[in-house]
Amino acid sequence: MVIRRCGAQRTVAVAVAATAVLAGCAADPAPSADPVPPTAGTTLVEPDDANAPLADAAVPTLGDRDLDVAHYDLELDYTPETGELDATATLELAVERPSDAVVLDLVDLDVTGVRVDGAEAPFDHADGKVTIDLGEVVAPGAPMQVAVDYAGVPDAVQTRALGGVEVGWQVRDDGSYVLSEPEGARTWYPVNDHPTDKATYDITVTVPEGVTAVANGELVEERADQATTTTHWRMAEPMAPYLATVVTGDYVGTSNDADGDGVLPQNVWTAGDTDGAEDLLAAQGEAVDLLEGWLGPFPFSTYGGVVLPPDDTEPFFDNVAIETQSLSLYGAESVVGETVVHEAAHQWFGNSVSVTRWGDDIWWVEGFARYSEWLWIEDADGQAAYDRAVERTYDQLAEAERPVAPGDLSVSRLFSAWSYDRGGLTFAALRAEIGDEDFEAFLRTFVERYGGANARTEDLIATAEAVSDEDLEPFFDAWVFSDELPPAP
Ligand code: TRP
Ligand code: ZN
């Protein structure tokens, strides 16, 4: 495996699922394509706006806005041969309004027992919700521990955000992996499944001896028992539920051997191809260095990448990558330089600073990640190359008959040219508008202010205005809130 650069061999155009336009050398936004209706006979979450006042139109039935989970401790026993997961999730949480129940998202798997602060509690599991009876009205803020025992073969769920592609836990012959964005977390653990409820995680995975298991964050402990291996991973920084991942299978780890003095430890997991691992490690290191120059320190204590084996079950995943927190996953065909920097950029934009509402905020998440690909090009090949990348993207977008404002995207357009490319162009235009110095200060200030938490477009605008001391209302109105595409930056 060699880390390609975009250019002559632009083989990785990805517009597989409806309007989805993902990272890499794509540059093929197919912006006028309307979403392909999901395959018949599938269960999709239908919008139900009669939810809480803060409901998210993209995932209207998910999450409970009155619940605050501080920590997930997931103990997973996984058998790749059968696909069986046997697990206990222990959540440290509090309600935010007086309540006599806790409601969590979980599909398919069988819940066999629930304990609240150690005592058996009655529960009901139906329609993707586990409702736990607290037996009394509990006051807001009172810390509670809720443990859920569950088991079964996880089944991924279709999402309208990717034209019906299934997200969540993927059971494969040779192991498993988890790609949840935006709504697959509930396929493998009981969760308050909305990015506004970020939490820290301990993920402990027991697999048969000889199988490798990797999850987000740092490796805390590794243990061999009779015929099993257990690894314990810790994500100590707040993480949105969709960014949690576990990968099992036949992987080899390669490390940059950071010795702890200021060097970010980085690891890459591949199915045996150690040459490729060195290349990815090198590209990842360069991407992190470049982005630290623009954004400040990497937001997590470690970074890694997993190169998934080719997937016959869902070829879509071969050509995409995902920014799972501190451990990006790459489809077998997706390892190109631009994608590596794209996923690294998400560690700040999307992971450390997370969306508040999917449809309102995804444009600055995917937009900055796309923009980072151009920073990478600028760094390697100079300003003219950067200008060409921006111009080419603009020209493609300008061909769309019906342009769409990125600031209020419907679920089928979350991962479309309107978030990635128009979002990326918005950053390019902002840099041209306020100048390099203010642009860099804006990026750093935004990340500093909202790192570890969530932000909204209004926060981003306010930060840009404060740093540049300019009225940017007309600028953002044109780029983010109006359908019509503004003049090229
Ligand atoms: N955020 C991913 C990216 O880097 C795209 C994405 C969204 C994705 N949902 C996904 C990839 C599910 C794989 C599976 O651009
Ligand atoms: Zn992205």
Side-chain angles (χ1 to χ4, degrees), residues 21-23 162 165-167 179-182 316-317 320-323 339 342-343 346 362 365-366 369 415 420:
V21 177
L22 307 177
L162 296 172
V165 164
E166 294 188 345
V167 288
L179 320 133
S180 292
E181 190 180 16
F316 174 71
F317 293 142
V320 301
I322 184 145
E323 67 267 26
T339 305
H342 181 113
E343 306 312 330
H346 275 314
I362 194 68
V365 172
E366 291 305 347
F415 305 104
Y420 284 71

Side-chain angles (χ1 to χ4, degrees), residues 269-317:
W269 302 85
T270 56
D273 179 354
T274 41
D275 274 6
E278 293 295 341
D279 293 340
L280 177 53
L281 210 47
Q284 207 178 254
E286 283 175 39
V288 168
D289 285 351
L290 171 68
L291 292 168
E292 284 190 327
W294 283 97
L295 304 170
F298 190 77
F300 310 111
S301 62
T302 165
Y303 189 43
V306 177
V307 184
L308 302 171
D311 192 328
D312 306 331
T313 310
E314 181 48 274
F316 174 71
F317 293 142

